[in-house]
Amino acid sequence: MKIQNLISRFVDSYRKSVRRFSLTFAVSIVLALLICYCIIIDDIEDIQGYLMMALCSGMLLSLLLTLVAEKYGFSRLIPAVITAVYVVVCTWLLNRFENNVFTIMTYAGVNGALFCLVAYEVFLFSGTDNTFGYLVSQGFYTVLLTSVVMAGVCICIAAFTNLIYDFNDSYKLYLIAATLIYLVIGVNHYLACLPEDGDEVSVPKVYSLVFNKAALAIYLLLLAILYIYLFKSIITMNLPRGRINIFASLALLMFCGYYLSVRCEDSPAHQSYLRLGGWLMLPVVLIQAVAVYIRIDDLGVTAPRWLSLACDVIALLFIADSLFVHRVNWLFLAMAAVCLLVTVGPLNCLTISNRWQQQIIENVLKKNNMLDFDNAVIPNGMISYDDQKKLLSAYDYLYYQEDETLSERQKYLISKDPEVLYGFGYEDHNPYVHSKECWWDAGEATEFDVAGYRTMKNVSYYGFEANRQEVIIEGYDLTEQLRSFVNGFDEDNRPEHVRFAVDDGVIEVLSIYAACREDGTFEHVRLSGYLLRK
């Protein structure tokens, strides 16, 4: 009886979704049929791929327009016409400007904005603090349900092909089944869960237990680690480049998610988090902003750094809402605007980063009087090392960008090798050119005599800081032995075994990569082996 009720509820919810979101359902059917056709013929033309991309975007647009029409009482014919025109135009644009990175970036930005607008409308419909937790929990339930159905269908296909009749390319049956189940059944079942205007939604207890309690504790632990790192940086007055960005970004992302999620909780602890969480995140935003500024000041703006700044802006908006506004709906409009800002128009992440790198080159050239009256470059190999480093870094960034993203001036600045165009090249800039490098590994000769030794321990050493004065492993100073080995290394007469003597034993080396400069300092030291003690 319970199974019958479950099936009945599933069918009823699916019918409800088809009636309410008939336009989105129709678009999903067309997309699924197109994918199945490409699977059957085992080929996909460019125009078919662009049509699939347009239909995916059309599903988001149709969903948004359906929600808007439902809320404001528009005719359902208007969303259908707009969606059809949008899919046709989007397909034509993707095909017309194929292999253009700006086209793909605009497509991604528009889809991101559409998703945020759909979320905005859904939150307006519900108007409760439970909305985010409800949507996430229903998403997990839909994935679980469709995965169970998919598993059952796969078992039936496997039984048929193994016991009754085996098709050629029977794997296509699995792909077609996955397309229909996840795209048609799964998506539309999830749409049936979207609240209607004025609906009250609730969050399952399992979601509250897992996400709002257990996972929130892990997030607070990460926040504590970031605070310890912050105090360490303040005490030592040293903030290493590129270390905290990813963890700070994760903390900010988790804060945004938990700010939306724990609003449904009434416990004093969660309410305290809503009041104080924004203040706790301000130092994290600050230290990430400083870390990004250090990278920008050193090597200029790049696309990832521009996107990182955009994420910081979104996090600041969430913090501002938690401290002053306390209404989350407008945040989705802000996120939609940011998505469009960094992908469409003159401030997109590619154009702004290319312009910034161009300006770095132009500033170095002007500073060193390397431009003539026509703004042509005058080679000068005598500029400072720091200026060389900045110029070559910007040159490398522009050199590996797509041609359509570069202006004529930017193309000119990378039109020739730097040795020809600027009068200096990578060898003049590279601090390792005058180093003696050594690559050695034991290969298959990994057997060695352990007689007379009491213990054996695997040891390794990794050091990539420039101008390393000494190499110490497990308390043993190997500086002189390593320097002697590197300087005397002969590629044509490679030793079969390498061992370094220590006070109470020996280190049998398995691999070495090291570079020793003329002044005796090391670069890029990497060593692994076994420490044998007597």
Side-chain angles (χ1 to χ4, degrees):
M1 193 65 179
K2 291 183 178 180
I3 296 178
Q4 185 178 3
N5 291 336
L6 180 64
I7 296 175
S8 177
R9 287 172 53 193
F10 176 80
V11 173
D12 290 342
S13 66
Y14 194 79
R15 288 177 178 173
K16 173 185 174 183
S17 173
V18 172
R19 286 194 302 268
R20 185 183 179 192
F21 300 105
S22 55
L23 178 58
T24 307
F25 175 75
V27 176
S28 68
I29 288 292
V30 175
L31 177 58
L33 292 177
L34 179 59
I35 294 175
C36 291
Y37 171 75
C38 293
I39 292 173
I40 292 171
I41 66 174
D42 202 14
D43 188 24
I44 178 171
E45 301 291 339
D46 288 344
I47 189 65
Q48 294 169 344
Y50 297 137
L51 180 57
M52 288 180 191
M53 295 173 65
L55 288 170
C56 290
S57 186
M59 287 181 63
L60 285 173
L61 179 63
S62 65
L63 177 58
L64 173 63
L65 294 177
T66 299
L67 292 172
V68 172
E70 184 177 307
K71 187 172 183 63
Y72 299 102
F74 297 152
S75 170
R76 294 209 169 195
L77 181 62
I78 297 177
V81 173
I82 295 176
T83 301
V85 173
Y86 175 83
V87 170
V88 173
V89 173
C90 185
T91 304
W92 180 82
L93 290 174
L94 289 170
N95 186 57
R96 173 65 177 81
F97 301 101
E98 61 179 344
N99 300 323
N100 187 296
V101 66
F102 282 117
T103 304
I104 302 302
M105 185 172 62
T106 301
Y107 171 81
V110 169
N111 284 340
L114 287 174
F115 181 83
C116 293
L117 292 175
V118 169
Y120 170 77
E121 287 295 331
V122 171
F123 271 72
L124 279 184
F125 267 83
S126 176
T128 67
D129 293 334
N130 296 334
T131 305
F132 182 81
Y134 169 77
L135 294 176
V136 174
S137 61
Q138 289 299 320
F140 278 105
Y141 172 73
T142 300
V143 171
L144 176 62
L145 180 64
T146 50
S147 297
V148 170
V149 174
M150 181 63 194
V153 172
C154 288
I155 292 174
C156 293
I157 294 175
F160 185 87
T161 55
N162 282 277
L163 301 177
I164 300 177
Y165 182 75
D166 189 9
F167 297 93
N168 292 328
D169 299 330
S170 59
Y171 70 92
K172 295 180 180 179
L173 295 176
Y174 297 95
L175 297 178
I176 293 173
T179 301
L180 296 175
I181 291 173
Y182 285 105
L183 185 56
V184 178
I185 298 178
V187 169
N188 289 280
H189 177 266
Y190 182 73
L191 294 181
C193 303
L194 298 184
E196 298 186 40
D197 195 7
D199 279 356
E200 292 289 336
V201 295
S202 59
V203 178
K205 292 183 178 180
V206 174
Y207 175 88
S208 180
L209 178 63
V210 174
F211 288 91
N212 294 347
K213 293 182 174 62
L216 181 60
I218 297 175
Y219 159 68
L220 293 176
L221 177 60
L222 173 61
L223 194 60
I225 294 172
L226 291 177
Y227 265 86
I228 294 174
Y229 182 82
L230 174 60
F231 291 139
K232 174 186 173 183
S233 300
I234 293 175
I235 293 173
T236 60
M237 297 301 294
N238 179 38
L239 184 62
R241 293 177 174 85
R243 289 191 179 182
I244 193 175
N245 287 345
I246 184 172
F247 300 107
S249 298
L250 287 173
L252 292 173
L253 178 64
M254 295 169 71
F255 166 77
C256 296
Y258 283 121
Y259 175 66
L260 296 173
S261 182
V262 301
R263 296 169 63 85
C264 63
E265 300 290 343
D266 297 327
S267 67
H270 288 95
Q271 292 302 313
S272 298
Y273 172 80
L274 288 176
R275 292 193 303 270
L276 302 176
W279 296 112
L280 292 175
M281 290 307 301
L282 279 176
V284 177
V285 175
L286 177 62
I287 192 172
Q288 186 182 31
V290 172
V292 173
Y293 171 78
I294 291 174
R295 297 292 291 172
I296 291 176
D297 185 61
D298 187 21
L299 300 175
V301 168
T302 61
R305 291 170 197 148
W306 191 244
L307 294 176
S308 179
L309 288 174
C311 293
D312 279 348
V313 171
I314 293 175
L316 283 173
L317 294 177
F318 270 83
I319 291 173
D321 186 83
S322 70
L323 298 178
F324 309 110
V325 183
H326 309 296
R327 294 183 60 187
V328 300
N329 294 343
W330 70 278
L331 292 173
F332 296 101
L333 294 178
M335 286 191 287
V338 171
C339 286
L340 294 177
L341 182 69
V342 298
T343 57
V344 183
L347 293 181
N348 70 79
C349 59
L350 294 180
T351 299
I352 198 72
S353 58
N354 288 351
R355 287 178 180 173
W356 199 292
Q357 297 298 324
Q358 174 192 348
Q359 193 60 45
I360 291 176
I361 297 178
E362 299 280 11
N363 290 342
V364 173
L365 296 179
K366 292 177 182 178
K367 174 184 175 182
N368 294 279
N369 298 317
M370 295 175 63
L371 293 174
D372 63 15
F373 293 107
D374 297 325
N375 277 333
V377 176
I378 303 173
N380 180 7
M382 303 303 295
I383 68 175
S384 68
Y385 175 82
D386 288 339
D387 285 343
Q388 289 184 27
K389 178 182 176 182
K390 288 183 179 180
L391 194 150
L392 288 175
S393 174
Y395 176 95
D396 278 344
Y397 185 85
L398 293 176
Y399 184 82
Y400 289 103
Q401 300 305 305
E402 298 291 340
D403 285 344
E404 63 264 21
T405 68
L406 300 175
S407 66
E408 292 301 321
R409 179 63 176 174
Q410 292 164 358
K411 291 179 181 178
Y412 167 71
L413 294 175
I414 60 171
S415 59
K416 300 177 183 178
D417 289 337
E419 295 91 338
V420 178
L421 188 59
Y422 301 116
F424 58 88
Y426 295 100
E427 289 191 356
D428 303 304
H429 167 71
N430 191 347
Y432 310 126
V433 167
H434 302 294
S435 299
K436 175 65 182 298
E437 287 189 310
C438 162
W439 289 80
W440 180 90
D441 66 87
E444 298 181 357
T446 56
E447 296 182 359
F448 41 85
D449 187 9
V450 297
Y453 296 101
R454 181 172 51 86
T455 62
M456 181 174 70
K457 180 181 180 181
N458 185 274
V459 294
S460 60
Y461 182 89
Y462 299 92
F464 297 98
E465 295 85 356
N467 302 319
R468 178 174 293 275
Q469 301 290 334
E470 57 185 8
V471 177
I472 298 177
I473 302 178
E474 296 290 322
Y476 301 108
D477 190 345
L478 303 181
T479 306
E480 292 301 328
Q481 294 186 72
L482 181 60
R483 182 182 296 122
S484 176
F485 174 78
V486 173
N487 289 329
F489 183 75
D490 183 3
E491 184 66 33
D492 297 328
N493 188 23
R494 300 169 62 89
E496 184 177 354
H497 294 280
V498 175
R499 58 178 58 89
F500 295 140
V502 296
D503 293 341
D504 56 349
V506 66
I507 294 180
E508 291 282 355
V509 179
L510 296 179
S511 65
I512 294 178
Y513 167 54
C516 184
R517 302 187 68 184
E518 292 178 349
D519 61 1
T521 58
F522 290 98
E523 311 282 357
H524 291 292
V525 179
R526 186 172 64 214
L527 183 149
S528 65
Y530 288 97
L531 170 61
L532 304 178
R533 287 195 178 103
K534 295 181 179 179

